Amino acid sequence: MFCKEASSSLQTLNIAKSLSSEFTKPSALINPLSAGHRYKLCPRPNLRGRCTVTASKFDIDWRAKERVKKIKVKGIITAKQGLLPSVGFTDLLGVSLLVELISAETDPRTPIKKDPVEDYAQRVLIDGHDDQYQCVFDMPKDFGAVGAIRVVNLESKEIFIKEMKLEVPDGPVTFTFNSWVAPKSEDPTKRTFFSNKSYLPLQTPEPLKQLRKEELETLQGKNRERDGELKKFERVYDYDVYNDVGDPDKDPKLARPVMGGLSHPYPRRCKTGRKPSRKYPSIETRKGDFYVPRDEEWSTVKGTAFTGTTILAALPAVFPQIEAALVDPNMPFPHFKSIEDLFEEGIELPKKAGLFPLIPRLVKAVAEADDILQFDSPILLDKDRFSWIRDDEFARQTLAGLNPLCIGLVQEWPLKSKLDPAVYGDPNSLITSEIVEREIKGVMSFDEALENKRLFMLDYHDLLLPYVNKVRELDDSTLYASRTLFFLNDDSTLRPVAIELTRPQDVNRPQWRQVFTPGYDATSCWLWSLAKTHAITHDADSAYVLLLLRDGKFYRLRTHCCMEPYIIAANRQLSAMHPIYRLLHPHFRYTMEINARGRQSLVNAGGIIESCFWPGKYSLELSSDVYDKLWRFDREGLPADLISRGLAVEDETAEHGVRLTIPDYPFATDGLMLWDALKEWVTDYVNHYYPNAEQVKLDEELQGWWSEVRNIGHGDKKNEPWWPVLKTQDDLIEVVTTIAWVASGHHAAVNFGQYGYGGYFPNRPTTSRIKMPVEEPTEEELKEFYEDPEKTMLKTFPSKKQATKLMLTLDLLSTHSPDEEYLGENAEASWAHEPVIYAAYERFKGKLQYLEGVIDERNVDVALKNRAGAGVVKYELLKPISEPGLTGMGVPNSVSI
């Protein structure tokens, strides 16, 4: 028998049940707890075994919720052309996607989050550009702002979702996705996408905090249900060493040391989870794809363009067919006209080679005849076909050419090696003050030149000397350590003064070295030209072969490998709704993908880099040495870089806070304007979200990101004292500006001029195949040099096979993709969401447009002899915007090629 209390409670329960029957029940797909099923049947032990049924206080709240008026909210999902699967069974039923909206607000009547609303999206439009899905939500009128959208892909294939527009009463709201969503059969979890409003961790709305945490855990790999090789849909970001470049399982000669760790310090790459080799446990097998998270991959547009995955993957198959079409591919070119014929006549290729579909821009299909591989004429050759041989052009390119990052001020004299003389020989340079004074011809004394900062140098001596004997053991290759000295003229041009080439001692031979100066007779002129060829090879490889040469100034290591830890850490530690993640994200686009393709086809053992550049199989080993000795984050920013090389001094009265040692230094003058524009934009952005320093210090995600960059991503250098600490807004501004600069301006300056300056390889040879004719020559070598010095030079240059490989690769790497995203071109959706941020971005965009005009003006000012004049290639590498193709200009947001 029930007591009165129980009878009253039962009556309440019956009323509640009758009310609930009048409303639609929540979907079974929604968590029952969050759907409002909170009745409690509980015993009352103090009632001597009697029980009572009570209605929870939430019952009244639930009934109140059910009485809230609902509105219809339409959502339109847009997907990019060509990325969606064909219409399937689920699509015909209208259940291609399950979409769930999450409110950013809690229920004012309870301390809990509001129930989500959901619907199935049905395809409603298929056209030539976008496909669209539509869903209609029954949304409570007091639902509040939508803070997140969760999606389940019920299709059988992955879907690329571009955006979703919600038609709410206050006006349309757009969520930007730009992401692949795996099918439920692969990933049954709901994908979470946050609104375009950015939040610091402590400012996150309560209903979104758990989602923010769970999404980061997924990207960290904490929610993986299995071990082993990572699948693209898993979206896991993690670290590993470079142990997949060698392939000893295929051939023991392809074994390479692991890059990363005490023996060979190196930045970390993205973990793939592939199995280790059974025979070589420290090496990862190279079978299958090189994993990167799905959203890091190139889009279909870029993937099918000339600069995409297709060509990089196809290059190893393309080269043998081109080699087969060459006569004596391992031989030098017989004369300079045969080099120019590569641009004028091309190479005949049999149609059965099938290269036209792979490289259509370079292969000219000829009806009823063989195809022709014909290279575009590089701009240097078009402007002045003889400029490459002149000393003034050699010097000019150190300031405005492909590698303007290695020239440095002479700050110590006499020049002296820091290497062990017992191992390498006499450390004192043979370049003396008397030689310098003789070559500058009485313009001033040597002491005046040194004091007035008139002496500059490309110094590759100590870096290369340990590798000289090892490289000389490789087939068809030689190497010297080199120093090249320049004198600064009054008109800001440089004049080459002397080149010193050194071969270290070994167990069988003493040290050999000699200084070469510009000549005034036939023999000395040819020796000087050959010495320049060797010196240029070292300088060219510092840009091409991706190896640094001074204070961290290098190409692949700095702009590719060193960027990857920033990207991995950002995805692991910074939520997608974090303002710093959204600021940096455009600068990360496609970098992990191009790095993976590089390990697969470019820098791998026996790959393009090893076969075309002088370090050969020692390329990454040398890169590791330089990373260990010279790379410093605090010198990655442009002003700090210039100051460290003696090319600038701090000066608060100067326009950019520094005064250049060489006023007409095109890379620096254009670069400083770009740096200042970037820094002002980053400053406005950071100060908006961090009005005081305390917020920087209390941001756990931000501190976690930077700690992981230092301690794991660049863990081999974690104990260096120069790492910045994020304590203030200024600290954060400097770090973010530096990363953005390296990804954009620095990369553009050393990448997109590769074909323009290196496509005609006599200007920038990447390997030297024979030694100087005066280094312990045989009678035959001396005789050949005196009788046909041009033949000696041609034999020094790359072979036919090496040259054509090089030209094709540089063409590819210098070409802008049709879907390139340039600095200052389009604002990110989250920036447009905040009026203050959008206004700051528009100012940034305006400064870049102004920079473009300034560059155009400078390039027609003949007083600026390093960028203007008869036959001089204009310096346009830092012009922000470019058309697709081989343009020699344009600054993409990121390292995407």
Side-chain angles (χ1 to χ4, degrees), residues 771 773 776-788 791-792 795:
K771 60 186 177 62
E776 300 173 354
T778 63
E779 290 186 13
E780 183 180 345
E781 289 170 341
L782 268 181
K783 181 180 179 182
E784 181 179 80
F785 169 63
Y786 284 121
E787 291 186 355
D788 193 350
K791 184 177 181 180
T792 301
K795 289 173 71 174

Side-chain angles (χ1 to χ4, degrees), residues 375-390:
F375 291 95
D376 292 331
S377 180
I379 189 170
L380 182 79
L381 202 60
D382 288 341
K383 285 283 188 178
D384 184 346
R385 62 186 296 191
F386 300 112
S387 65
W388 67 275
I389 199 84
R390 297 199 315 266

Side-chain angles (χ1 to χ4, degrees), residues 20 23-24 26 35 61-70:
S20 67
F23 300 99
T24 304
D61 295 331
W62 181 78
R63 292 202 301 269
K65 287 184 191 177
E66 291 294 326
R67 294 192 184 98
V68 171
K69 183 179 179 181
K70 294 188 176 182

